[in-house]
Amino acid sequence: MRVSLSSLASAVANEGGIGTISSIGLGDPEAMKTEYETMSREALVREIAKARAMTDGHLAVNFMGVLSNVDDLIKTAIREGIKLVVFGAGLPTKLPAVANDSSVNLVPIVSSARVAELILRVWDKHYGRTADGFILEGPLAGGHLGFSKDQLTRPDEFSLDCLLPKLLEVLKGYEDKYGRKIPVIAAGGIFDAQDIARMFRLGASGVQMATRFVCTVECGVSPEFKQAYLDADEEDIVIIDSPVGMPGRAIRNRFLRDLETKEKLPIRCPYRCLTACKAEKARYCIALALLNSYFGDVDHGLIFCGHNAYRIKEIVTVKELITGLLTELAAL
Ligand SMILES: Cc1cc2nc3c(=O)[nH]c(=O)nc-3n(C[C@H](O)[C@H](O)[C@H](O)COP(=O)(O)O)c2cc1C
């Protein structure tokens, strides 16, 4: 939520990457309480326009399938000229119908070859089209994870290095049928040039990185959020049960420690933003918890991060980060 907005996305695009804008909970937090759908739609329009004003490069928008207004947000982004739709946290079985524009690239996020195959089969059968790429997210990623807690205790078995060849194998049949490559972008724990080179060797066409970009000048999260990354030790980075119904990775800060001792935090569901959230049973409101840390109240907020957040030692500009990675990569 909000971690990657116009400032970060445009800076990445200006360095030749694809800058991803989050579509989640962008509106004014108070106004969204009465007009969630309208406010988040208008805020997404504004965020895309702001990014466009700062770059001519490639921009994507990230959508979560569990959002109650996800279809509306996808249509909005496409109306605003976005040509790359990234869809995670849910099965995008109806995405081609919602997007309904063959010039828009549809890129689902998957964590297994099995789910990718299901998507490809449904899209082929019902829409006569295939995916324009996949983001393969491994178990070291930040935020919500497409693995069970049990699978996360066996990271080697489900590592990107194991998952990637299986996914590439599944894609072959569809690449042949549609006469084009379906690129795979590897994500989750990619930290340095060695990691990037390893993914390329295994057949990835690109990598997606999030955690390292949180500690950039251009990332719009509060200084307190970034400081929590700089202060984190490896053992502070934990797996939580998110009200979304998926495990997530976050920093064990005061908010999470309080949850361990308290039964349940009192919730008034302010936004009805998630289809999967059972607000009456949830232990906290994830939207408010993420907003709190975004705005700097990290003691009452959830701080999502990837497994490698503890390795970050300084805040740099996007240009410094990307130039550094490319220089290291060229020297390998
Ligand atoms: C703070 C944070 C917020 C994230 N939010 C989202 C999100 O809203 N939607 C999404 O699909 N992935 C989200 N992710 C996952 C990333 O997009 C990415 O695939 C993954 O974290 C990459 O691994 P890395 O963080 O080790 O680089 C988030 C990750 C982090 C660290």
Side-chain angles (χ1 to χ4, degrees):
M1 181 185 265
R2 294 192 188 215
V3 173
S4 184
L5 296 185
S6 50
S7 161
L8 177 56
S10 61
V12 169
N14 283 335
E15 293 307 313
I18 299 174
T20 303
I21 301 170
S22 164
S23 66
I24 303 152
L26 302 189
D28 172 74
E30 275 309 308
M32 277 201 304
K33 287 182 182 169
T34 47
E35 291 181 84
Y36 173 72
E37 194 159 327
T38 311
M39 290 299 146
S40 37
R41 183 193 308 129
E42 289 175 358
L44 178 59
V45 170
R46 281 196 300 276
E47 211 52 48
I48 293 171
K50 272 162 77 180
R52 280 261 166 272
M54 290 188 273
T55 185
D56 293 325
H58 296 293
L59 294 171
V61 176
N62 174 285
F63 302 92
M64 277 175 77
V66 289
L67 284 183
S68 52
N69 59 337
V70 63
D71 291 356
D72 185 57
L73 292 173
I74 292 170
K75 288 179 181 166
T76 302
I78 292 173
R79 261 200 314 274
E80 295 307 308
I82 287 296
K83 294 290 177 198
L84 210 168
V85 164
V86 175
F87 187 108
L91 262 185
T93 40
K94 296 195 197 114
L95 182 58
V98 176
N100 195 23
D101 182 338
S102 57
S103 72
V104 175
N105 294 287
L106 304 181
V107 179
I109 304 172
V110 294
S111 292
S112 71
R114 190 181 56 79
V115 170
E117 185 166 28
L118 176 67
I119 296 167
L120 289 167
R121 197 159 8 97
V122 172
W123 287 13
D124 180 50
K125 185 165 170 218
H126 294 291
Y127 308 106
R129 72 161 290 169
T130 197
D132 299 294
F134 279 98
I135 293 175
L136 176 64
E137 212 174 64
L140 302 181
H144 291 112
L145 304 168
F147 299 90
S148 68
K149 275 179 122 176
D150 174 56
Q151 289 171 333
L152 291 169
T153 61
R154 293 176 278 144
D156 291 344
E157 213 176 305
F158 295 94
S159 68
L160 269 180
D161 304 58
C162 289
L163 298 173
L164 185 51
K166 291 182 194 159
L167 176 58
L168 293 173
E169 194 55 40
V170 159
L171 298 185
K172 272 187 197 155
Y174 291 89
E175 290 182 325
D176 289 346
K177 177 163 182 183
Y178 286 88
R180 62 192 170 99
K181 186 166 176 60
I182 304 176
V184 176
I185 318 292
I190 310 292
F191 195 83
D192 56 24
Q194 301 274 0
D195 297 328
I196 299 173
R198 199 176 74 253
M199 289 302 123
F200 284 156
R201 274 199 304 276
L202 285 170
S205 299
V207 295
Q208 169 167 289
M209 296 172 66
T211 295
R212 286 202 74 179
F213 284 85
V214 170
C215 287
T216 57
V217 174
E218 292 86 345
C219 179
V221 299
S222 57
E224 293 82 355
F225 193 123
K226 296 179 191 179
Q227 192 60 45
Y229 271 45
L230 298 178
D231 293 342
D233 292 322
E234 188 172 5
E235 55 274 18
D236 299 329
I237 296 168
V238 295
I239 300 295
I240 59 155
D241 288 312
S242 153
V244 167
M246 302 164 83
R249 181 172 278 110
I251 296 179
R252 186 171 171 268
N253 60 350
R254 186 173 141 197
F255 172 74
L256 285 183
R257 285 196 302 275
D258 282 353
L259 270 180
E260 289 161 14
T261 50
K262 288 179 189 155
E263 255 308 280
K264 182 174 176 308
L265 302 181
I267 303 182
R268 277 180 301 108
C269 174
Y271 306 128
R272 309 203 180 286
C273 57
L274 298 170
T275 49
C277 182
K278 296 195 175 39
E280 64 291 349
K281 288 201 185 131
R283 301 196 62 221
Y284 57 93
C285 167
I286 188 160
L288 288 181
L290 291 171
L291 280 173
N292 282 348
S293 47
Y294 172 82
F295 286 115
D297 184 6
V298 285
D299 284 346
H300 299 100
L302 189 56
I303 305 173
F304 273 154
C305 70
H307 169 79
N308 284 328
Y310 70 96
R311 292 168 63 187
I312 301 177
K313 301 293 171 229
E314 56 177 350
I315 293 171
V316 294
T317 63
V318 165
K319 192 179 192 56
E320 284 165 342
L321 178 51
I322 294 185
T323 313
L325 288 168
L326 292 177
T327 311
E328 281 172 42
L329 200 55
L332 288 179

